[in-house]
Amino acid sequence: MKFTVVSHACLYIEYKNIRLLIDPWIIGSTYWRSWWNYPAVSEELIEKLKPTHIYITHLHWDHFHGPTLRKFYDYNPTILLPKHFNRRMKEDILRDFKFSKIKELNHGQRYKLIDDFQVFSYQFNPFIIDSSILIEANGVTLLNCNDSKTFGLSLRQIISNHPKIDFAFRSHSSATPIPQCIRGTNVEKSDRSPSDYADDFIAFAMATKSRYVIPFASSHIYLHEMTKKFNKYYSDPSFIKKQFNLKVKSEQKCQIMVSGSSWSKLNGFNIVEHNFENLKSDVEIYSSRNKKKIYKHIEKGENQKLNKRAFENYYLKFLEACLSPFNLLDFKFGFLIDEKKSSNKYLCIIDGRKGKVEIIEILNEKEIYKYNLSFVILTPVYVFNDCNLKKMHNTYTPSKLLEVIAIEKNGIKKLIKYFNLVDLYENDSLPFYRLFNIRNIIIIFRRWRELIDIIFYFYIIKIKKKKIHNLWSMI
């Protein structure tokens, strides 16, 4: 049995005639040329990937990457998906790809690939698709939590079912645009520090009691001209390891594994070294290497005009979904869209109170304050058009291709509420009546622990005001 870290959040596991690829984003960029793998994936490694199965943990493009998936048509892999309340991931696969074998995995249920190779999908987050995958092969157990911040009874279920975990993989950063994309915010004072993310990672690691824990799903850099500034918040895995070694006194080990690093039962670790202290110079090297691709993409995008019909169609349906059984969106906000080619500026207003949308041509940014809006989001026209056409606003925010102007005093709270509603809507959980069917009742029964975990979260974080790493203290 052998596993290889391929990229940011991609893992490749080989045993006998089975080759399982998890969350493949291995070529090019994602999120409109904003995110790039760091370090880059070598062509030699890419050519070695010949998956029989592909598991996708959730919907975000750094895990569900269309150009990468299409590279594997010739191998006709079985696509494995978490069986969630919604059918969004399966429907996207059926509509946009040519894969013929698709299997949804029930929460916590064994799925045998061969006699000595089985996987378990553990979903987490009641309404929004996210999942971990646990692999048992050749007497080795891997828990790949990826972006899924599983805690409480949900994590205890995994540990109870699989008490001897050899390797645990987990992210150590956040893709949220808040507070970094909020205009006028002092990020250093309002954001969580690198030590906070390290403490979360360490608390999770200690809870799993795995032999090794791998900092994972956090190694990308920003090369788009709008997002390059966010590289200063890069979550360095060498810092995570340093903090881990300072705070953990058990036999558990933290091992950095960048692209190309592997472990096999026969030979142990084969580690590719990378110096993260070179981040600043590496960003410039990567920018220079990909300059033409980035420029071409931005130039093509900026030639677009605002697709007014796509905006109206998307947000009128969204507003309708927010009305049942009562109005969940009781405020008004907007998007400021600048058409570079025509020099026109459009304020696209979404009025939750009246259930209507409106497009107003304005002369300058100062005019946004005339319309009693809670907040305004500035974003490139090509990104906005794409999100409206593809129903992908829930994937938009990790790109950080946005700037938010909070106009009302509670503007940021309402922004967070809007983001949550978009997640629910695009994951088939709004209107709420869509949740009530036999399929979902069975799923809720399998995942009852999450209901208790929600209460636990609010008690620890909202009432007791403790730090997030305390969520793993009860395991």
Side-chain angles (χ1 to χ4, degrees), residues 198-256:
D199 287 344
D200 296 351
F201 179 87
I202 292 165
F204 162 82
M206 294 174 68
T208 66
K209 298 181 173 64
S210 59
R211 284 200 300 149
Y212 295 94
V213 60
I214 316 297
F216 197 57
S218 302
S219 201
H220 69 274
I221 53 177
Y222 300 96
L223 299 186
H224 192 287
E225 61 184 19
M226 277 185 65
T227 58
K228 214 172 176 182
K229 60 188 176 183
F230 297 121
N231 287 310
K232 64 182 177 181
Y233 305 114
Y234 177 75
S235 183
D236 185 344
S238 60
F239 174 77
I240 300 297
K241 182 176 181 178
K242 181 180 178 181
Q243 293 296 104
F244 182 95
N245 291 340
L246 284 171
K247 296 184 178 184
V248 177
K249 305 304 179 184
S250 68
E251 295 297 313
Q252 191 177 41
K253 303 295 182 185
C254 179
Q255 178 63 60
I256 296 173

Side-chain angles (χ1 to χ4, degrees), residues 55 83 103-112 118-123 132-134 157 161-162 442 446-447:
Y55 180 82
K83 188 173 183 179
K103 173 73 176 177
E104 289 184 301
L105 306 186
N106 286 320
H107 174 80
Q109 185 172 315
R110 177 187 289 106
Y111 181 69
K112 186 186 291 186
Q118 53 197 8
V119 299
F120 302 76
S121 175
Y122 286 98
Q123 288 105 58
S132 303
I133 179 170
L134 188 135
Q157 179 193 18
N161 291 345
H162 315 276
I442 294 171
R446 286 182 172 276
R447 296 171 55 184

Side-chain angles (χ1 to χ4, degrees), residues 167-182:
F167 299 89
F169 302 76
R170 184 192 183 274
S171 64
H172 49 91
S173 63
S174 172
T176 178
I178 301 171
Q180 295 169 6
C181 296
I182 309 299

